[in-house]
Amino acid sequence: MAEGTLGSTSPLAPVARGWQRISPRLVPVLAVITAFIIGIPFMIFTSGRGDVGAGLRIAGSAYSALIEGATGFVINSNVSADNINLVVLLAENNELDPRGLNDLARASAELTSVDPEQIRQYATFLSQYELTDEQIDELGTRLPDIDRIGADTLSAMQPLLNDLSALERSEVRGLTEDYGGMDTLSAEDRTALEAVAPSAADYSDEDLLRYMAIINDEGIVALERTVEQIETLNDLGLSAEDRATLAQIAAVTAEDARSLVATQQTLDEAGITNPAAAAEQLITVRRMYDEGVLQEQDVKTALATEFDSAIRDNLVVQRPGNRLLVDTNFSNPFGILYNTNNTPDETSDDRPETVYLKLGGSTFIFFPSNLEATIVRAIPYIIAGLAVALGFKAGLFNIGAEGQLYIGATFAVWVGYSDIFSGLPAILHLPLVIIAGLIGGALWGAIPGILKAYTGAHEVINTIMLNFIAILTVDWLIKSTDPVIMQDAAASIPRTPFITDSARLPIFNQIAPIWFILAGIVVMAVGLYARRAQLQQNIRAAIRPVIYGLLVTLGGFVLSWLAVRNNLHTGLVIMIFAVWFTDWFLTRTTLGFELRTVGANPDAARYSGMSVPRNIVLAMALSGALAGLAGTIQVSGVQYNMQPSFFAGLGFDAIAVALLARTNPRNMIASGLLWGGLLTGAGLMQINANISVDLVKIIQALIIMFIAADTIIRYLWRVPVTDTDGKLASTFSKGWGS
């Protein structure tokens, strides 16, 4: 029996056999899951400081925020009586109004960073010694200097300080600099000093020089203020513990220390031991006032008479960071909140901001803008991933997608803003921009292909070098001022001029609904025409084309609705076409078959009459064209101009996206969406869970590691090796010259 399998007599044998059949296809998914699991210990030992329970809670918050930021979907708890029970206790013992909620919440939050024992020491000191805040702050501030220099030394120096303080400050600085640096004191020097400071005659040479050195180091003004506090300190007769407490109070200021003590006493009187929870609840109630669901200014009365009806008649959801989601027009479990900030008096441009479904004590929430951002961010990763995958299919490792992105985008942006094309209508101008980007990327990709095919130069080295050439060339083109080549002279930063409106990809919500209907009809008509022979035999053959047409129309309306931030552009359609075309080209065409054959076995391809050099050049040119298309979509759909270092590693991330998709074009959309989602959701994860965005980089690195070295995943999850995996590994290794 093979290792990791179960015997045929085991009751789990059918499960094991089923797992062996399906698990090879799940290796990328298992790699992602494993990377997220390994991310949990990072949070336990960093943010959780080794506390497993705290670390798991932080991990839950972090991953929930990551999912919310990437997809817009989240489930949050509704505000209930449990969210205000501590405020009820506080209101019973204190007169609270809405403004007082903020003050008490702020003070309670500050308590969480101070040791309760330290606050008790503050209270004891403040009640024992009748000092003003100014006296405490001044004395506490000078206390470290008194301890460092010595009270006796400062007292002995006082006559000398009194004499010197009568002089001009410039004269004092000159004297202290001269005498403070002396090792011995001559009779002439002593006489000169005694002439301006008579008290110097009372000190020995050694003490006089030491005191002058202290004055030189500390400054006479600071020493005068320090000496003034010695008498107060002697009168108080502070113990060593009190002196330490005084210094601590001065460090936070006496006013803040009294506030901390008063807040702690307020919480103690209410029987509250968790100041952080109290702060959260106080802010929750304050936010309910801000949203208008609570009106009565006396908090105690409001919680007793208004709270129950407020959460019954309104949707009030507790969001991370003590935020609230409120719908005052709540009437049924499902609802949509719209953004009306554009033109408040008009409803035609209102966009859905939040969609919710109340589920008992929780609410399922969808923020369309988050999903929109993920899709927009994923589009170039998917297309660039296709570029890398196509090279893989031909046995080539195209690391030059970054440079091909830059060159393609540069070609496209020039066509987009150049006066030569400025008068063209969008129906002509936009295709020219896209074609220019394809040509630019293809030309840059063909260079390492030609070198590989006809000189044997390795494509990995060539593409890496061409990346630097492309990036620095674009940097020069944009930054050059003598002569000005592509720089916008009116811009405050180095960039090209903005492309014209006719060169920009349309936003989905700017497209008339009739076009979605026409697109659906075209898809349905093409499908029916392709199945015309089957339709003569069975009318049911029309079902699938009709469904496809309806899905296209419905998808158009959904995408139009989803473009809530006016960012979701029609580059999504180009991306879907690119995925379909790449898959069709590789699996349904003669050229695609030749590319795959050359990638699998160049010798066999050559013996069968295929031109290996031609296919290498073709593969790299097509790969470069796809990378150039990715850059073109970014400048024509997102940025509308070109800047140095604009793509920030997008071409290199495309390698990870291609590997995660197992170089299969059909898997590229899911892989790119995951990559874009991780980057989009990282910001919200940092805000909600106070986790650095570097965690996402760690997860991405782990995913790449597990995909590249999937033996680890196969061992952990007991996944068998298939012939397809062997071919992929062979192709991957060929890219490195093995």
Side-chain angles (χ1 to χ4, degrees):
M1 183 172 61
E3 183 181 357
T5 63
L6 295 173
S8 59
T9 59
S10 170
L12 296 178
V15 176
R17 288 194 294 271
W19 180 250
Q20 289 182 348
R21 285 195 300 272
I22 67 172
S23 59
R25 298 181 180 180
L26 298 178
V27 168
V29 177
L30 298 175
V32 173
I33 293 173
T34 305
F36 276 102
I37 292 174
I38 293 179
I40 296 175
F42 281 96
M43 287 181 271
I44 291 175
F45 289 106
T46 55
S47 299
R49 302 186 183 277
D51 186 332
V52 175
L56 291 176
R57 287 192 296 273
I58 293 171
S61 299
Y63 287 152
S64 175
L66 188 61
I67 293 172
E68 178 186 341
T71 66
F73 295 108
V74 68
I75 296 178
N76 291 137
S77 299
N78 301 329
V79 172
S80 66
D82 292 337
N83 298 115
I84 63 156
N85 59 337
L86 300 182
V87 183
V88 171
L89 294 175
L90 288 168
E92 290 290 338
N93 298 279
N94 303 273
E95 293 184 2
L96 287 178
D97 58 17
R99 182 175 181 179
L101 291 170
N102 273 346
D103 296 337
L104 187 54
R106 190 181 306 109
S108 298
E110 291 173 355
L111 282 178
T112 60
S113 60
V114 184
D115 185 359
E117 178 61 30
Q118 191 172 345
I119 295 176
R120 283 192 287 271
Q121 293 175 357
Y122 292 173
T124 301
F125 182 91
L126 293 172
S127 62
Q128 183 175 356
Y129 299 99
E130 296 182 358
L131 296 171
T132 65
D133 290 352
E134 292 76 10
Q135 289 175 320
I136 292 174
D137 290 340
E138 184 65 23
L139 180 58
T141 301
R142 300 298 168 186
L143 187 58
D145 294 334
I146 294 174
D147 291 337
R148 178 169 50 83
I149 300 173
D152 293 340
T153 299
L154 290 168
S155 297
M157 292 172 59
Q158 189 167 3
L160 180 61
L161 291 172
N162 292 338
D163 289 343
L164 294 177
S165 63
L167 304 177
E168 294 291 336
R169 291 291 181 246
S170 58
E171 187 178 357
V172 174
R173 283 194 297 272
L175 287 171
T176 55
E177 288 174 359
D178 292 339
Y179 285 87
M182 293 181 180
D183 294 327
T184 58
L185 186 64
S186 66
E188 294 178 356
D189 291 332
R190 171 178 278 277
T191 300
L193 182 58
E194 290 176 355
V196 294
S199 60
D202 300 329
Y203 302 113
S204 66
D205 290 353
E206 181 181 357
D207 288 342
L208 187 57
L209 290 177
R210 182 162 63 90
Y211 295 161
M212 293 297 285
I214 292 173
I215 297 171
N216 184 44
D217 293 338
E218 304 293 331
I220 189 168
V221 175
L223 286 173
E224 286 174 340
R225 294 176 180 175
T226 302
V227 169
E228 289 175 0
Q229 300 301 318
I230 293 178
E231 184 177 354
T232 303
L233 187 63
N234 293 334
D235 293 340
L236 291 174
L238 299 178
S239 64
E241 183 178 356
D242 287 341
R243 291 165 71 97
T245 302
L246 173 61
Q248 291 172 353
I249 292 175
V252 300
T253 76
E255 182 180 1
D256 288 345
R258 293 186 192 277
S259 176
L260 290 170
V261 170
T263 304
Q264 185 65 61
Q265 290 174 347
T266 299
L267 297 181
D268 290 343
E269 290 171 359
I272 297 173
T273 58
N274 189 341
E280 291 180 2
Q281 292 195 15
L282 287 162
I283 294 175
T284 296
V285 176
R286 173 63 201 196
R287 298 282 164 80
M288 293 181 71
Y289 274 103
D290 294 340
E291 296 292 341
V293 295
L294 293 180
Q295 300 288 339
E296 171 60 47
Q297 293 299 296
D298 180 66
V299 174
K300 179 180 178 181
T301 304
L303 297 180
T305 62
E306 296 181 346
F307 180 79
D308 290 339
S309 60
I311 62 174
R312 183 184 64 247
D313 301 336
N314 303 278
L315 179 74
V316 186
V317 183
Q318 184 77 55
R319 299 274 293 132
N322 298 320
R323 293 171 289 148
L324 293 182
L325 175 66
V326 177
D327 185 4
T328 55
N329 296 318
F330 174 75
S331 58
N332 58 71
F334 176 80
I336 301 177
L337 300 177
Y338 289 89
N339 183 351
T340 61
N341 293 333
N342 295 329
T343 50
D345 297 332
E346 291 286 338
T347 59
S348 59
D349 62 350
D350 291 351
R351 308 301 301 168
E353 190 170 76
T354 308
V355 180
Y356 66 81
L357 176 63
K358 187 175 181 181
L359 305 170
S362 300
T363 298
F364 179 81
I365 307 172
F366 172 51
F367 299 101
S369 60
N370 292 4
L371 183 57
E372 178 191 18
T374 292
I375 295 173
V376 171
R377 195 157 193 173
I379 290 172
Y381 286 110
I382 294 170
I383 300 177
L386 287 173
V388 176
L390 194 146
F392 269 129
K393 294 297 185 181
L396 302 169
F397 200 167
N398 180 15
I399 303 186
E402 184 87 354
Q404 294 148 20
L405 276 162
Y406 273 89
I407 298 301
T410 304
F411 274 51
V413 79
W414 180 79
V415 174
Y417 75 75
S418 175
D419 293 337
I420 300 174
F421 306 97
S422 61
L424 292 176
I427 196 171
L428 294 177
H429 198 183
L430 182 57
L432 283 176
V433 169
I434 294 173
I435 292 171
L438 289 168
I439 292 174
L443 291 175
W444 205 253
I447 295 173
I450 293 171
L451 293 173
K452 170 77 171 182
Y454 296 105
T455 69
H458 204 290
E459 76 277 5
V460 171
I461 304 300
N462 290 335
T463 51
I464 289 175
M465 294 300 102
L466 284 169
N467 280 339
F468 289 105
I469 295 172
I471 294 170
L472 294 175
T473 298
V474 172
D475 187 90
W476 170 71
L477 289 172
I478 296 175
K479 291 182 177 179
S480 176
T481 57
D482 187 18
V484 174
I485 302 176
M486 295 186 72
Q487 187 182 82
D488 183 356
S492 59
I493 60 173
R495 63 166 175 79
T496 67
F498 282 95
I499 62 175
T500 62
D501 291 343
S502 59
R504 300 183 182 187
L505 288 166
I507 306 300
F508 273 102
N509 60 18
Q510 298 172 354
I511 301 175
I514 186 64
W515 290 106
F516 301 137
I517 298 173
L518 289 175
I521 292 173
V522 170
V523 169
M524 181 178 64
V526 171
L528 292 173
Y529 179 78
R531 292 171 173 259
R532 60 189 182 280
Q534 300 177 27
L535 286 171
Q536 295 177 358
Q537 304 294 329
N538 187 354
I539 193 63
R540 291 185 178 181
I543 294 177
R544 183 171 293 182
V546 171
I547 291 176
Y548 286 163
L550 291 174
L551 288 176
V552 167
T553 299
L554 179 61
F557 284 109
V558 170
L559 292 172
S560 177
W561 179 85
L562 196 61
V564 294
R565 294 290 185 268
N566 298 326
N567 294 326
L568 186 55
H569 53 76
T570 48
L572 176 65
V573 177
I574 298 175
M575 177 269 289
I576 294 173
F577 176 79
V579 172
W580 172 84
F581 175 81
T582 304
D583 184 65
W584 172 81
F585 174 79
L586 289 172
T587 59
R588 300 296 181 89
T589 67
T590 302
L591 287 176
F593 173 75
E594 289 188 7
L595 286 183
R596 289 187 291 114
T597 303
V598 169
N601 193 326
D603 294 330
R606 187 180 297 106
Y607 293 147
S608 63
M610 300 177 187
S611 173
V612 174
R614 185 198 69 186
N615 279 284
I616 290 175
V617 175
L618 177 63
M620 288 301 297
L622 290 176
S623 181
L626 286 170
L629 178 62
T632 300
I633 287 178
Q634 277 298 95
V635 298
S636 62
V638 179
Q639 190 73 13
Y640 306 132
N641 65 67
M642 187 72 181
Q643 299 175 18
S645 304
F646 172 56
F647 295 109
L650 192 156
F652 294 110
D653 282 350
I655 300 171
V657 173
L659 291 175
L660 185 58
R662 310 295 276 179
T663 71
N664 186 337
R666 298 180 184 181
N667 298 337
M668 208 64 66
I669 293 179
S671 178
L673 286 173
L674 172 65
W675 214 255
L678 287 173
L679 296 174
T680 305
L684 188 62
M685 181 187 71
Q686 185 176 35
I687 293 171
N688 285 2
N690 196 26
I691 295 291
S692 171
V693 294
D694 290 336
L695 176 66
V696 167
K697 297 179 181 178
I698 293 173
I699 291 173
Q700 288 177 324
L702 290 170
I703 291 173
I704 296 172
M705 181 185 72
F706 290 141
I707 291 295
D710 61 2
T711 302
I712 301 172
I713 297 298
R714 296 181 182 281
Y715 174 78
L716 292 174
W717 297 88
R718 299 298 189 265
V719 178
V721 178
T722 65
D723 293 339
T724 302
D725 299 319
K727 292 178 182 178
L728 178 64
S730 175
T731 302
F732 180 81
S733 63
K734 284 179 182 178
W736 290 100
S738 299

